[in-house]
């Protein structure tokens, strides 16, 4: 019962103790406030240790972990968003946004026509919103296209 919570609680405690140890390595200058620069990180780490102890002592019931398909969809969504971030500058806003929105829409509900229309609609709608309503300096297309 609660094995994953106990593992997580132990990880939180170890990371919090490492955070507190690194806070004690902060060097202070001769002009510091009465609390010092170490106080806040030590207090934050102490609260994290207490939270880890609570998770360790009072774990929840063992969760039902998702199967392979949801995990693969999460990986595909993450790869899509990373690729989208790298594609924005060279390809402009409209093309990468349409492709990324279509892929994400297809991952949610695998209907190709709807996914393509959602990608195109979101791309155009978001461009109009960001460019004209919010005044962001977006580039619509790749620089050499037109």
């Amino acid at each position: 019962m609660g094995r994953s919570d106990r593992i997580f609680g132990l990880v939180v405690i170890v990371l919090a103790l490492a955070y507190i140890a690194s806070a004690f390595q902060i060097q202070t200058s001769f002009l510091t406030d009465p609390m010092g620069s170490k106080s806040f990180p030590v207090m934050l780490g102490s609260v994290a240790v207490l939270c880890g102890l609570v998770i360790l002592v009072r774990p929840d019931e063992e969760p039902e972990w998702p199967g392979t398909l949801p995990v693969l969809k999460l990986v595909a969504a993450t790869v899509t968003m990373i690729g989208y971030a790298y594609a924005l500058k060279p390809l402009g806003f409209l093309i990468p946004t349409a492709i990324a929105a279509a892929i994400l829409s297809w991952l949610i509900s695998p209907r190709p026509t709807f996914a393509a229309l959602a990608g195109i609609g979101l791309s155009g709608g978001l461009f109009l919103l960001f460019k004209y309503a919010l005044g962001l300096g977006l580039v619509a297309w790749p620089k050499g296209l037109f």
Side-chain angles (χ1 to χ4, degrees):
M1 175 179 123
R3 187 180 67 194
S4 59
D5 278 358
R6 286 197 169 104
I7 292 170
F8 179 70
L10 190 62
V11 168
V12 168
I13 291 170
V14 168
L15 290 176
L17 289 174
Y19 183 74
I20 292 171
S22 68
F24 280 114
Q25 301 300 319
I26 296 173
Q27 295 183 0
T28 57
S29 67
F30 65 94
L31 295 173
T32 59
D33 59 88
M35 289 288 290
S37 56
K38 299 175 186 179
S39 300
F40 182 72
V42 170
M43 287 188 298
L44 191 63
S46 301
V47 170
V49 167
L50 288 175
C51 291
L53 284 172
V54 169
I55 293 171
L56 192 66
V57 173
R58 298 190 57 199
D60 288 338
E61 294 293 322
E62 196 62 39
E64 195 171 313
W65 293 98
T68 345
L69 185 62
V71 172
L72 290 175
K73 283 185 174 185
L74 284 172
V75 169
T78 303
V79 168
T80 299
M81 293 308 292
I82 290 170
Y84 173 68
Y86 280 107
L88 272 175
K89 192 168 185 176
L91 297 178
F93 183 82
L94 291 174
I95 296 170
T97 303
I99 293 170
I103 291 171
L104 294 174
S105 176
W106 183 80
L107 286 172
I108 293 169
S109 174
R111 295 183 292 177
T113 306
F114 179 76
L117 291 174
I120 293 168
L122 277 170
S123 177
L126 289 174
F127 180 77
L128 292 174
L129 176 72
F130 292 156
K131 178 84 173 173
Y132 298 109
L134 298 176
L136 299 178
L138 293 179
V139 177
W141 307 102
K143 292 183 181 179
L145 188 62
F146 292 108

mmCIF file of all heavy atoms in Angstrom, residues 57-94:
data_model
loop_
_atom_site.group_PDB
_atom_site.id
_atom_site.type_symbol
_atom_site.label_atom_id
_atom_site.label_comp_id
_atom_site.label_asym_id
_atom_site.label_seq_id
_atom_site.Cartn_x
_atom_site.Cartn_y
_atom_site.Cartn_z
ATOM 1 N N VAL A 57 4.878 8.993 5.755
ATOM 2 C CA VAL A 57 4.185 8.364 6.870
ATOM 3 C C VAL A 57 2.726 8.041 6.535
ATOM 4 O O VAL A 57 2.210 7.005 6.946
ATOM 5 C CB VAL A 57 4.264 9.275 8.125
ATOM 6 C CG1 VAL A 57 3.419 8.742 9.262
ATOM 7 C CG2 VAL A 57 5.705 9.418 8.563
ATOM 8 N N ARG A 58 2.055 8.900 5.788
ATOM 9 C CA ARG A 58 0.638 8.703 5.474
ATOM 10 C C ARG A 58 0.432 8.627 3.961
ATOM 11 O O ARG A 58 -0.135 9.540 3.363
ATOM 12 C CB ARG A 58 -0.178 9.853 6.038
ATOM 13 C CG ARG A 58 -0.096 9.937 7.561
ATOM 14 C CD ARG A 58 -1.066 10.909 8.127
ATOM 15 N NE ARG A 58 -2.413 10.531 7.714
ATOM 16 C CZ ARG A 58 -3.442 11.343 7.723
ATOM 17 N NH1 ARG A 58 -3.291 12.582 8.113
ATOM 18 N NH2 ARG A 58 -4.628 10.946 7.355
ATOM 19 N N PRO A 59 0.827 7.557 3.321
ATOM 20 C CA PRO A 59 0.656 7.456 1.871
ATOM 21 C C PRO A 59 -0.802 7.184 1.487
ATOM 22 O O PRO A 59 -1.581 6.659 2.285
ATOM 23 C CB PRO A 59 1.535 6.266 1.498
ATOM 24 C CG PRO A 59 1.533 5.412 2.709
ATOM 25 C CD PRO A 59 1.486 6.371 3.873
ATOM 26 N N ASP A 60 -1.144 7.557 0.275
ATOM 27 C CA ASP A 60 -2.472 7.246 -0.266
ATOM 28 C C ASP A 60 -2.491 5.799 -0.751
ATOM 29 O O ASP A 60 -1.464 5.119 -0.765
ATOM 30 C CB ASP A 60 -2.791 8.169 -1.445
ATOM 31 C CG ASP A 60 -3.075 9.593 -0.988
ATOM 32 O OD1 ASP A 60 -3.425 9.775 0.193
ATOM 33 O OD2 ASP A 60 -2.957 10.505 -1.826
ATOM 34 N N GLU A 61 -3.648 5.366 -1.181
ATOM 35 C CA GLU A 61 -3.749 4.043 -1.785
ATOM 36 C C GLU A 61 -2.908 4.021 -3.060
ATOM 37 O O GLU A 61 -2.678 5.060 -3.683
ATOM 38 C CB GLU A 61 -5.205 3.715 -2.122
ATOM 39 C CG GLU A 61 -6.095 3.577 -0.912
ATOM 40 C CD GLU A 61 -5.739 2.364 -0.076
ATOM 41 O OE1 GLU A 61 -5.400 1.322 -0.656
ATOM 42 O OE2 GLU A 61 -5.792 2.473 1.165
ATOM 43 N N GLU A 62 -2.470 2.839 -3.443
ATOM 44 C CA GLU A 62 -1.647 2.711 -4.651
ATOM 45 C C GLU A 62 -2.457 3.167 -5.870
ATOM 46 O O GLU A 62 -3.569 2.690 -6.098
ATOM 47 C CB GLU A 62 -1.215 1.245 -4.813
ATOM 48 C CG GLU A 62 -0.083 1.039 -5.766
ATOM 49 C CD GLU A 62 1.202 1.741 -5.322
ATOM 50 O OE1 GLU A 62 1.520 1.768 -4.129
ATOM 51 O OE2 GLU A 62 1.874 2.271 -6.201
ATOM 52 N N PRO A 63 -1.920 4.084 -6.649
ATOM 53 C CA PRO A 63 -2.681 4.591 -7.800
ATOM 54 C C PRO A 63 -2.724 3.563 -8.931
ATOM 55 O O PRO A 63 -1.908 2.652 -8.996
ATOM 56 C CB PRO A 63 -1.889 5.833 -8.231
ATOM 57 C CG PRO A 63 -0.505 5.553 -7.793
ATOM 58 C CD PRO A 63 -0.624 4.748 -6.536
ATOM 59 N N GLU A 64 -3.688 3.751 -9.807
ATOM 60 C CA GLU A 64 -3.769 2.917 -10.996
ATOM 61 C C GLU A 64 -3.036 3.667 -12.109
ATOM 62 O O GLU A 64 -3.518 4.685 -12.616
ATOM 63 C CB GLU A 64 -5.230 2.697 -11.373
ATOM 64 C CG GLU A 64 -5.426 1.577 -12.352
ATOM 65 C CD GLU A 64 -6.892 1.250 -12.535
ATOM 66 O OE1 GLU A 64 -7.601 1.120 -11.518
ATOM 67 O OE2 GLU A 64 -7.303 1.149 -13.692
ATOM 68 N N TRP A 65 -1.866 3.182 -12.480
ATOM 69 C CA TRP A 65 -1.031 3.863 -13.460
ATOM 70 C C TRP A 65 -1.584 3.646 -14.860
ATOM 71 O O TRP A 65 -2.161 2.607 -15.150
ATOM 72 C CB TRP A 65 0.406 3.362 -13.367
ATOM 73 C CG TRP A 65 1.048 3.754 -12.082
ATOM 74 C CD1 TRP A 65 1.173 2.984 -10.964
ATOM 75 C CD2 TRP A 65 1.607 5.025 -11.756
ATOM 76 N NE1 TRP A 65 1.785 3.701 -9.962
ATOM 77 C CE2 TRP A 65 2.065 4.952 -10.417
ATOM 78 C CE3 TRP A 65 1.764 6.220 -12.448
ATOM 79 C CZ2 TRP A 65 2.663 6.019 -9.779
ATOM 80 C CZ3 TRP A 65 2.371 7.276 -11.803
ATOM 81 C CH2 TRP A 65 2.811 7.179 -10.494
ATOM 82 N N PRO A 66 -1.415 4.621 -15.741
ATOM 83 C CA PRO A 66 -1.947 4.473 -17.104
ATOM 84 C C PRO A 66 -1.179 3.415 -17.887
ATOM 85 O O PRO A 66 -0.035 3.077 -17.562
ATOM 86 C CB PRO A 66 -1.748 5.867 -17.720
ATOM 87 C CG PRO A 66 -0.654 6.481 -16.926
ATOM 88 C CD PRO A 66 -0.760 5.911 -15.542
ATOM 89 N N GLY A 67 -1.819 2.938 -18.937
ATOM 90 C CA GLY A 67 -1.188 1.949 -19.800
ATOM 91 C C GLY A 67 -0.168 2.581 -20.722
ATOM 92 O O GLY A 67 0.240 3.740 -20.550
ATOM 93 N N THR A 68 0.232 1.847 -21.734
ATOM 94 C CA THR A 68 1.286 2.333 -22.635
ATOM 95 C C THR A 68 0.784 3.431 -23.568
ATOM 96 O O THR A 68 1.533 4.365 -23.853
ATOM 97 C CB THR A 68 1.812 1.176 -23.495
ATOM 98 O OG1 THR A 68 1.408 -0.064 -22.977
ATOM 99 C CG2 THR A 68 3.298 1.172 -23.572
ATOM 100 N N LEU A 69 -0.449 3.321 -24.057
ATOM 101 C CA LEU A 69 -0.944 4.291 -25.031
ATOM 102 C C LEU A 69 -0.985 5.721 -24.481
ATOM 103 O O LEU A 69 -0.503 6.645 -25.149
ATOM 104 C CB LEU A 69 -2.318 3.855 -25.562
ATOM 105 C CG LEU A 69 -2.877 4.728 -26.673
ATOM 106 C CD1 LEU A 69 -1.961 4.682 -27.901
ATOM 107 C CD2 LEU A 69 -4.274 4.283 -27.033
ATOM 108 N N PRO A 70 -1.532 5.970 -23.293
ATOM 109 C CA PRO A 70 -1.505 7.344 -22.777
ATOM 110 C C PRO A 70 -0.088 7.880 -22.578
ATOM 111 O O PRO A 70 0.176 9.064 -22.810
ATOM 112 C CB PRO A 70 -2.245 7.255 -21.445
ATOM 113 C CG PRO A 70 -3.101 6.058 -21.549
ATOM 114 C CD PRO A 70 -2.355 5.109 -22.422
ATOM 115 N N VAL A 71 0.820 7.020 -22.161
ATOM 116 C CA VAL A 71 2.205 7.468 -21.971
ATOM 117 C C VAL A 71 2.830 7.828 -23.316
ATOM 118 O O VAL A 71 3.521 8.844 -23.455
ATOM 119 C CB VAL A 71 3.026 6.392 -21.235
ATOM 120 C CG1 VAL A 71 4.495 6.754 -21.199
ATOM 121 C CG2 VAL A 71 2.502 6.201 -19.825
ATOM 122 N N LEU A 72 2.577 7.021 -24.337
ATOM 123 C CA LEU A 72 3.090 7.330 -25.677
ATOM 124 C C LEU A 72 2.487 8.626 -26.220
ATOM 125 O O LEU A 72 3.177 9.406 -26.886
ATOM 126 C CB LEU A 72 2.817 6.172 -26.635
ATOM 127 C CG LEU A 72 3.633 4.904 -26.401
ATOM 128 C CD1 LEU A 72 3.174 3.791 -27.337
ATOM 129 C CD2 LEU A 72 5.114 5.187 -26.581
ATOM 130 N N LYS A 73 1.214 8.872 -25.923
ATOM 131 C CA LYS A 73 0.591 10.130 -26.350
ATOM 132 C C LYS A 73 1.243 11.324 -25.652
ATOM 133 O O LYS A 73 1.452 12.370 -26.275
ATOM 134 C CB LYS A 73 -0.908 10.103 -26.060
ATOM 135 C CG LYS A 73 -1.696 9.274 -27.046
ATOM 136 C CD LYS A 73 -3.177 9.391 -26.760
ATOM 137 C CE LYS A 73 -3.993 8.691 -27.819
ATOM 138 N NZ LYS A 73 -5.442 8.881 -27.622
ATOM 139 N N LEU A 74 1.560 11.168 -24.368
ATOM 140 C CA LEU A 74 2.247 12.249 -23.650
ATOM 141 C C LEU A 74 3.634 12.511 -24.227
ATOM 142 O O LEU A 74 4.058 13.665 -24.371
ATOM 143 C CB LEU A 74 2.346 11.920 -22.166
ATOM 144 C CG LEU A 74 1.069 12.076 -21.357
ATOM 145 C CD1 LEU A 74 1.262 11.526 -19.955
ATOM 146 C CD2 LEU A 74 0.663 13.528 -21.301
ATOM 147 N N VAL A 75 4.343 11.447 -24.561
ATOM 148 C CA VAL A 75 5.671 11.596 -25.172
ATOM 149 C C VAL A 75 5.541 12.287 -26.524
ATOM 150 O O VAL A 75 6.308 13.206 -26.855
ATOM 151 C CB VAL A 75 6.371 10.233 -25.285
ATOM 152 C CG1 VAL A 75 7.613 10.322 -26.147
ATOM 153 C CG2 VAL A 75 6.722 9.702 -23.912
ATOM 154 N N ALA A 76 4.548 11.868 -27.325
ATOM 155 C CA ALA A 76 4.347 12.490 -28.647
ATOM 156 C C ALA A 76 3.984 13.966 -28.506
ATOM 157 O O ALA A 76 4.469 14.809 -29.278
ATOM 158 C CB ALA A 76 3.253 11.744 -29.414
ATOM 159 N N ALA A 77 3.159 14.304 -27.523
ATOM 160 C CA ALA A 77 2.795 15.707 -27.300
ATOM 161 C C ALA A 77 4.009 16.526 -26.870
ATOM 162 O O ALA A 77 4.201 17.659 -27.324
ATOM 163 C CB ALA A 77 1.686 15.806 -26.259
ATOM 164 N N THR A 78 4.848 15.953 -26.018
ATOM 165 C CA THR A 78 6.054 16.657 -25.574
ATOM 166 C C THR A 78 7.009 16.892 -26.728
ATOM 167 O O THR A 78 7.538 17.998 -26.905
ATOM 168 C CB THR A 78 6.747 15.856 -24.458
ATOM 169 O OG1 THR A 78 5.820 15.661 -23.390
ATOM 170 C CG2 THR A 78 7.973 16.571 -23.941
ATOM 171 N N VAL A 79 7.224 15.861 -27.554
ATOM 172 C CA VAL A 79 8.111 16.001 -28.719
ATOM 173 C C VAL A 79 7.540 17.032 -29.696
ATOM 174 O O VAL A 79 8.278 17.853 -30.262
ATOM 175 C CB VAL A 79 8.325 14.629 -29.400
ATOM 176 C CG1 VAL A 79 8.985 14.766 -30.750
ATOM 177 C CG2 VAL A 79 9.131 13.714 -28.493
ATOM 178 N N THR A 80 6.211 17.026 -29.861
ATOM 179 C CA THR A 80 5.569 17.999 -30.746
ATOM 180 C C THR A 80 5.803 19.421 -30.255
ATOM 181 O O THR A 80 6.138 20.316 -31.050
ATOM 182 C CB THR A 80 4.055 17.724 -30.830
ATOM 183 O OG1 THR A 80 3.854 16.423 -31.359
ATOM 184 C CG2 THR A 80 3.349 18.739 -31.700
ATOM 185 N N MET A 81 5.656 19.656 -28.952
ATOM 186 C CA MET A 81 5.833 21.009 -28.427
ATOM 187 C C MET A 81 7.294 21.467 -28.486
ATOM 188 O O MET A 81 7.566 22.648 -28.724
ATOM 189 C CB MET A 81 5.302 21.092 -26.996
ATOM 190 C CG MET A 81 3.787 20.911 -26.903
ATOM 191 S SD MET A 81 2.860 22.006 -27.995
ATOM 192 C CE MET A 81 3.180 23.576 -27.268
ATOM 193 N N ILE A 82 8.228 20.549 -28.306
ATOM 194 C CA ILE A 82 9.645 20.909 -28.422
ATOM 195 C C ILE A 82 9.964 21.256 -29.879
ATOM 196 O O ILE A 82 10.623 22.261 -30.164
ATOM 197 C CB ILE A 82 10.541 19.775 -27.891
ATOM 198 C CG1 ILE A 82 10.410 19.662 -26.375
ATOM 199 C CG2 ILE A 82 12.003 20.000 -28.276
ATOM 200 C CD1 ILE A 82 11.056 18.437 -25.773
ATOM 201 N N GLY A 83 9.472 20.427 -30.795
ATOM 202 C CA GLY A 83 9.665 20.716 -32.215
ATOM 203 C C GLY A 83 9.011 22.026 -32.619
ATOM 204 O O GLY A 83 9.552 22.785 -33.421
ATOM 205 N N TYR A 84 7.850 22.308 -32.059
ATOM 206 C CA TYR A 84 7.148 23.565 -32.339
ATOM 207 C C TYR A 84 7.982 24.765 -31.900
ATOM 208 O O TYR A 84 8.106 25.759 -32.623
ATOM 209 C CB TYR A 84 5.801 23.552 -31.623
ATOM 210 C CG TYR A 84 5.040 24.841 -31.684
ATOM 211 C CD1 TYR A 84 4.519 25.304 -32.883
ATOM 212 C CD2 TYR A 84 4.834 25.610 -30.545
ATOM 213 C CE1 TYR A 84 3.809 26.491 -32.949
ATOM 214 C CE2 TYR A 84 4.127 26.785 -30.594
ATOM 215 C CZ TYR A 84 3.611 27.223 -31.797
ATOM 216 O OH TYR A 84 2.924 28.406 -31.851
ATOM 217 N N ALA A 85 8.576 24.668 -30.721
ATOM 218 C CA ALA A 85 9.395 25.772 -30.220
ATOM 219 C C ALA A 85 10.588 26.036 -31.132
ATOM 220 O O ALA A 85 10.947 27.184 -31.387
ATOM 221 C CB ALA A 85 9.864 25.465 -28.807
ATOM 222 N N TYR A 86 11.194 24.973 -31.642
ATOM 223 C CA TYR A 86 12.344 25.149 -32.532
ATOM 224 C C TYR A 86 11.933 25.592 -33.929
ATOM 225 O O TYR A 86 12.721 26.210 -34.642
ATOM 226 C CB TYR A 86 13.158 23.857 -32.624
ATOM 227 C CG TYR A 86 14.073 23.653 -31.451
ATOM 228 C CD1 TYR A 86 13.792 22.702 -30.475
ATOM 229 C CD2 TYR A 86 15.227 24.419 -31.281
ATOM 230 C CE1 TYR A 86 14.622 22.512 -29.392
ATOM 231 C CE2 TYR A 86 16.060 24.250 -30.199
ATOM 232 C CZ TYR A 86 15.741 23.285 -29.262
ATOM 233 O OH TYR A 86 16.568 23.115 -28.182
ATOM 234 N N ALA A 87 10.712 25.302 -34.358
ATOM 235 C CA ALA A 87 10.273 25.628 -35.716
ATOM 236 C C ALA A 87 9.714 27.036 -35.844
ATOM 237 O O ALA A 87 9.589 27.552 -36.958
ATOM 238 C CB ALA A 87 9.219 24.617 -36.174
ATOM 239 N N LEU A 88 9.365 27.683 -34.743
ATOM 240 C CA LEU A 88 8.741 29.004 -34.814
ATOM 241 C C LEU A 88 9.609 30.050 -35.511
ATOM 242 O O LEU A 88 9.126 30.787 -36.361
ATOM 243 C CB LEU A 88 8.383 29.493 -33.414
ATOM 244 C CG LEU A 88 7.017 29.085 -32.899
ATOM 245 C CD1 LEU A 88 6.848 29.528 -31.453
ATOM 246 C CD2 LEU A 88 5.914 29.634 -33.747
ATOM 247 N N LYS A 89 10.856 30.138 -35.147
ATOM 248 C CA LYS A 89 11.708 31.199 -35.707
ATOM 249 C C LYS A 89 11.975 31.004 -37.205
ATOM 250 O O LYS A 89 11.771 31.938 -37.976
ATOM 251 C CB LYS A 89 13.014 31.305 -34.922
ATOM 252 C CG LYS A 89 13.786 32.546 -35.273
ATOM 253 C CD LYS A 89 14.903 32.806 -34.308
ATOM 254 C CE LYS A 89 15.568 34.123 -34.635
ATOM 255 N NZ LYS A 89 16.584 34.469 -33.672
ATOM 256 N N PRO A 90 12.399 29.832 -37.647
ATOM 257 C CA PRO A 90 12.684 29.725 -39.084
ATOM 258 C C PRO A 90 11.443 29.641 -39.969
ATOM 259 O O PRO A 90 11.484 30.068 -41.127
ATOM 260 C CB PRO A 90 13.508 28.443 -39.195
ATOM 261 C CG PRO A 90 13.174 27.645 -37.999
ATOM 262 C CD PRO A 90 12.831 28.641 -36.932
ATOM 263 N N LEU A 91 10.316 29.133 -39.452
ATOM 264 C CA LEU A 91 9.146 28.910 -40.301
ATOM 265 C C LEU A 91 8.014 29.905 -40.073
ATOM 266 O O LEU A 91 6.972 29.810 -40.718
ATOM 267 C CB LEU A 91 8.608 27.486 -40.084
ATOM 268 C CG LEU A 91 9.549 26.357 -40.471
ATOM 269 C CD1 LEU A 91 8.918 25.013 -40.158
ATOM 270 C CD2 LEU A 91 9.911 26.448 -41.936
ATOM 271 N N GLY A 92 8.186 30.849 -39.181
ATOM 272 C CA GLY A 92 7.109 31.784 -38.896
ATOM 273 C C GLY A 92 6.100 31.172 -37.934
ATOM 274 O O GLY A 92 6.294 30.081 -37.412
ATOM 275 N N PHE A 93 4.981 31.859 -37.736
ATOM 276 C CA PHE A 93 3.996 31.422 -36.749
ATOM 277 C C PHE A 93 2.957 30.471 -37.324
ATOM 278 O O PHE A 93 2.600 29.472 -36.701
ATOM 279 C CB PHE A 93 3.279 32.640 -36.146
ATOM 280 C CG PHE A 93 2.295 32.293 -35.069
ATOM 281 C CD1 PHE A 93 2.723 32.071 -33.775
ATOM 282 C CD2 PHE A 93 0.941 32.186 -35.351
ATOM 283 C CE1 PHE A 93 1.822 31.739 -32.783
ATOM 284 C CE2 PHE A 93 0.036 31.853 -34.360
ATOM 285 C CZ PHE A 93 0.479 31.643 -33.072
ATOM 286 N N LEU A 94 2.456 30.760 -38.516
ATOM 287 C CA LEU A 94 1.288 30.051 -39.021
ATOM 288 C C LEU A 94 1.533 28.572 -39.312
ATOM 289 O O LEU A 94 0.738 27.721 -38.910
ATOM 290 C CB LEU A 94 0.756 30.757 -40.272
ATOM 291 C CG LEU A 94 0.136 32.135 -40.017
ATOM 292 C CD1 LEU A 94 -0.215 32.808 -41.328
ATOM 293 C CD2 LEU A 94 -1.073 32.017 -39.132
#
